[in-house]
Structure formats: structure tokens, C-alpha cells
Amino acid sequence: MQMTPDSIGNRIAAVAEAARRSDQDRISQARSDLNHAAQEMRSVTAHARTAAEQRQQLYHMAGGAVLASVLLWSFLPDTIARAMPESWHWPERMAARMVGSSSRWDTGSRMMKSDSPEAWNALVQAAEIQRDNRDAIAACRKAAATSQQAVRCTVSVRAVRSPKD
């Protein structure tokens, strides 16, 4: 075995080079793995941001749809009701439902009374006079139809009840 200091130095240098190459390969692999992991993390973060943006956009769209629905239903039922044949009485039925009355007659009475109490009281008094004098008024109408002229009739009128203070 003849080993000269140069050959020993060369062998040491070769072994050291091989060890450094192996370490360098491991460092390169670790760096590559780290870069790959960082890229995946960026991808996940971007995906999460995109999902949050989509969720926010969905909330905006849902809010817009609710607002559009409210706006549409504020005038659409009335438009549809008025487009239907008059004999169906949809606007009157809608008013009865909105007021909460059991019939359209009660709804109309309530609306007339709230709009003009004086005119409502006059209608109530006229109805009472008609009801109290039904027979006399029927006889007068018959006489007017027979004579083809206006006739005078006598009716009874009750005293108006004054509201108690």
C-alpha cells in the first residue's frame, strides 16, 4: 500500500465531495419539497379566498332577489287583479282579505265609514227610513207606476239618537 500524501489528500477530497454531493442532493430535494408545499398553501389560500368571495356574492344575489321580490309583489297582485274579468271581483276580495272582514259587504261598510263618517251616517239613516216604511214606499211606487207621475207619500221618521258624551 503505497499511499502518498497526495493520494490520501485526493481520496479525502473525493470522499468529501461525494458526501457534499449527497448532502447537496438532500438539500435540493428539501428545497423542492418546501417550494411544492408553499405552492399548495398558496393554492389553498386562493381557493379559500375564492370560496369566500363566492359566498359573499351569493349573499348579495340573495339580498337582491329578496328586494326584487318585495318590489315586484308590491304592485303585481293589484295589476293581476285588475287584469281579470270584472265579474270575478278580485280587487274587492283582496280588500276584504286585507281589512280582515268576513265579507265584501262588511269591508265596503268599513271603508265608507272610515272615509266619510257623515255620509255613512246619512246612508244608515236612509236605510232605517226605507226599512221602517217599506210598505208605505211600496204602495207609493205602485201608485207612481200606475199614474205615470210623481206622487206624494207619507213616511214615518224616528228621532235621531244623539251620541252620549
Side-chain angles (χ1 to χ4, degrees), residues 97-115:
R97 191 171 22 257
M98 289 174 69
V99 169
S101 295
S102 60
S103 69
R104 290 180 295 183
W105 184 265
D106 292 340
T107 302
S109 300
R110 182 174 171 180
M111 291 172 67
M112 288 187 292
K113 189 175 186 178
S114 70
D115 185 53

Side-chain angles (χ1 to χ4, degrees), residues 35-106:
N35 287 338
H36 182 68
Q39 181 61 33
E40 282 188 23
M41 287 176 64
R42 278 190 225 103
S43 175
V44 167
T45 304
H47 182 69
R49 192 177 319 126
T50 302
E53 289 170 357
Q54 288 175 352
R55 193 173 17 262
Q56 186 68 24
Q57 188 177 18
L58 180 64
Y59 292 152
H60 284 250
M61 295 299 274
V66 167
L67 184 62
S69 297
V70 167
L71 182 63
L72 185 65
W73 282 109
S74 69
F75 68 88
L76 189 62
D78 182 57
T79 304
I80 292 171
R82 296 201 182 283
M84 294 299 120
E86 187 72 25
S87 63
W88 290 6
H89 302 288
W90 277 17
E92 294 83 0
R93 290 176 197 269
M94 288 172 61
R97 191 171 22 257
M98 289 174 69
V99 169
S101 295
S102 60
S103 69
R104 290 180 295 183
W105 184 265
D106 292 340

